[in-house]
Amino acid sequence: EEPGLEVIYFYLGDEIKGYVSPATFGEPCAVHKKWLKMKDSKDADDRQFVKDSFRIYKKFFGFGVRFKDEDGNDVDGKPKLLLLTPGLYDELLAYWLDEKEAGDFTDPINGYDVKYERTGTTKMNTEYHVRTCKPTKAPKAFRKEVYNLEELVRAIIPTYEESKDVINRFLAIDTTKEKDDRNGDRKKKKKKTGAKRNSKE
């Protein structure tokens, strides 16, 4: 099997953040259902809402047992699902298909290491790359284990009831934001009106 699994991934703002949709596996998902309904709506406001508020991406999950945590510390022997961009996964897939040239990085004893690297600090200059490294043996605890990536991803996706809670929270947050924006516009208009009156006096 390929070393990664494609998923339907939403980013639902800073409060909810990333969300992996059950629609990835053809299962009911209230978030995905609402997105489709509003995207194809005859109401221009609905379509604009989708453009402004929903962020849907094609992402891939990989799997790793060695990585650096958020503080830059090495973590060894604790399996972790890794969320990969399409570009990063394409690079990984190219190495995986090129077994004769570079070897098999999935081999637990003789396989070479693969590192995912990130450069840049902002959305505009951040780039991700795959770098091959010298072979090292996999931690003993994982040498004989066979992990099913689909099972691992299924374990983190929400139920349909949970997806309904997510979309309700998301819509409530966005409605509040729109209300705040409208109130902010009113305040700006009042300030401008007041400024004109003061200039005449």
Side-chain angles (χ1 to χ4, degrees), residues 45-112:
D45 288 341
D46 285 348
R47 297 195 301 273
Q48 190 62 47
F49 178 84
V50 167
K51 289 181 181 179
D52 295 340
S53 301
F54 277 94
R55 296 287 182 271
I56 183 169
Y57 302 96
K58 179 169 74 172
K59 297 276 190 179
F60 294 84
F61 270 113
F63 189 64
V65 294
R66 285 194 179 99
F67 55 92
K68 290 184 181 293
D69 63 17
E70 289 77 6
D71 298 322
N73 300 314
D74 288 313
V75 179
D76 193 355
K78 295 181 181 179
K80 182 181 178 71
L81 281 171
L82 307 170
L83 191 62
L84 310 176
T85 63
L88 199 56
Y89 185 65
D90 284 346
E91 289 186 41
L92 179 67
L93 202 58
Y95 286 119
W96 181 71
L97 292 170
D98 195 17
E99 185 177 328
K100 289 183 179 179
E101 182 68 25
D104 178 10
F105 64 69
T106 67
D107 188 300
I109 304 299
N110 301 310
Y112 60 90

Side-chain angles (χ1 to χ4, degrees), residues 88-190:
L88 199 56
Y89 185 65
D90 284 346
E91 289 186 41
L92 179 67
L93 202 58
Y95 286 119
W96 181 71
L97 292 170
D98 195 17
E99 185 177 328
K100 289 183 179 179
E101 182 68 25
D104 178 10
F105 64 69
T106 67
D107 188 300
I109 304 299
N110 301 310
Y112 60 90
D113 287 2
V114 173
K115 285 190 177 181
Y116 304 108
E117 295 183 327
R118 171 183 171 177
T119 58
T121 56
T122 69
K123 289 183 178 180
M124 299 301 292
N125 69 359
T126 296
E127 293 184 355
Y128 298 90
H129 294 286
V130 175
R131 182 162 64 90
T132 60
C133 306
K134 65 180 182 180
T136 61
K137 295 179 181 179
K140 289 183 179 180
F142 307 106
R143 290 181 193 173
K144 294 183 179 180
E145 288 286 340
V146 177
Y147 292 91
N148 185 308
L149 193 55
E150 181 175 326
E151 288 181 0
L152 293 167
V153 175
R154 280 183 178 275
I156 66 167
I157 63 171
T159 64
Y160 182 67
E161 290 302 317
E162 289 170 338
S163 77
K164 288 198 294 186
D165 290 339
V166 170
I167 191 61
N168 288 337
R169 279 178 56 210
F170 173 64
L171 294 175
I173 291 168
D174 206 277
T175 301
T176 302
K177 179 179 178 296
E178 286 184 353
K179 188 176 181 180
D180 290 342
D181 289 344
R182 288 196 298 270
N183 289 338
D185 289 340
R186 290 194 190 101
K187 289 178 182 178
K188 288 179 183 177
K189 288 178 182 178
K190 285 182 180 180

